[in-house]
Amino acid sequence: DVKVTQSSRYLVKRTGEKVFLECVQDMDHENMFWYRQDPGLGLRLIYFSYDVKMKEKGDIPEGYSVSREKKERFSLILESASTNQTSMYLCASSSTSGRWYEQYFGPGTRLTVT
Amino acid sequence: AQSVTQPDIHITVSEGASLELRCNYSYGATPYLFWYVQSPGQGLQLLLKYFSGDTLVQGIKGFEAEFKRSQSSFNLRKPSVHWSDAAEYFCAVGAKGNEKLTFGTGTRLTIIP
C-alpha cells in the first residue's frame, strides 16, 4: 500500500519558534509538494520539489523554506512561526511518468501557533 | 493562468438522493481536470480524471463527471449517495508536462439520514 507519512498530526508552537514539518513517501516518486489548507481557500501550493535538492516556489512561499536532501523526504521549515501560519499542512507526492497527475497525500499536520 | 471555481461551499443531501457538485474552470488550452475527495482526518484521494475523448468519465466509489467545454464545467455526480460519501470534494485543473495542479476551494458534503 502506497504511503505518504507526515511526522505529526497535531503540533502546537509558539510565535517566533523554528518549526520543521517532515514528510516521507515510499513510492520512489520524483515530485513532492507542500500545501496549506484553510477553510474557504482550498489548497494553496507553498513549495514544489521535482528532484533531490531541487525546489520551486508555489503560490504562497513567503515565510517558508523547504529541504529535500533525499528523494523520499521533503521538509517544510517555518523559520520564525507566526500566528497567521496556523493552518493544516498537507504533503503530497507524484511520479513524473505514468500517472503523473495523481498526487498521493499524507493525512496532514494541523499546526497551531500561539 | 489556470483557475478553478467551486461555487458551493457546503451541500447537504439526504442519504439515497442524487448529488451534483459544481466545478467551473478557466484555462487557455484543453484542460486536464480532476476531482479529489478528502474524507475526515485523511489526505486527498483521486476520484476521477478527464484528459480527452468521452466527456462522461467514471471514477471510483460510483462517481462520474461530465466535461462541458461550452460551459467550462466539470460537474461531479452520483445517482445515490451513501453516508460514507460525507467528505470534502476538490476540483482541480492541470496540464500535461506540468505536475502542479490548481485546486478549487472545495465543497463540503453533509449526508443526512
Side-chain angles (χ1 to χ4, degrees), chain A:
Chain A
D1 196 17
V2 298
K3 260 212 168 97
V4 177
T5 56
Q6 296 184 229
S7 50
S8 306
R9 292 299 299 269
Y10 300 93
L11 208 53
V12 180
K13 295 292 182 180
R14 293 187 182 271
T15 301
E17 277 194 83
K18 190 168 186 176
V19 181
F20 292 87
L21 302 183
E22 304 285 339
C23 174
V24 178
Q25 51 98 0
D26 66 0
M27 295 164 282
D28 201 36
H29 283 167
E30 295 81 6
N31 303 319
M32 296 188 76
F33 308 82
W34 274 108
Y35 292 94
R36 174 176 170 158
Q37 182 179 12
D38 298 289
L41 297 177
L43 273 71
R44 293 179 291 168
L45 181 65
I46 304 171
Y47 266 99
F48 161 57
S49 171
Y50 49 94
D51 201 350
V52 174
K53 297 190 188 295
M54 305 305 288
K55 62 185 179 186
E56 194 174 301
K57 291 180 179 178
D59 300 319
I60 52 164
E62 296 78 19
Y64 304 94
S65 63
V66 290
S67 173
R68 191 161 179 207
E69 297 296 318
K70 294 185 177 181
K71 189 176 186 180
E72 67 271 18
R73 189 179 297 270
F74 191 34
S75 303
L76 180 69
I77 303 155
L78 286 66
E79 295 290 342
S80 177
S82 65
T83 55
N84 63 12
Q85 292 178 310
T86 291
S87 186
M88 171 70 85
Y89 291 88
L90 294 172
C91 176
S93 72
S94 70
S95 172
T96 54
S97 60
R99 293 171 69 92
W100 60 269
Y101 49 84
E102 183 162 10
Q103 294 187 15
Y104 293 84
F105 283 80
T109 296
R110 187 168 293 282
L111 173 67
T112 301
V113 182
T114 62

Side-chain angles (χ1 to χ4, degrees), chain B residues 43-60:
Chain B
L44 279 71
Q45 179 186 19
L46 181 67
L47 270 181
L48 49 77
K49 66 185 187 298
Y50 171 78
F51 286 174
S52 63
D54 194 346
T55 56
L56 185 65
V57 294
Q58 304 296 321
I60 61 171

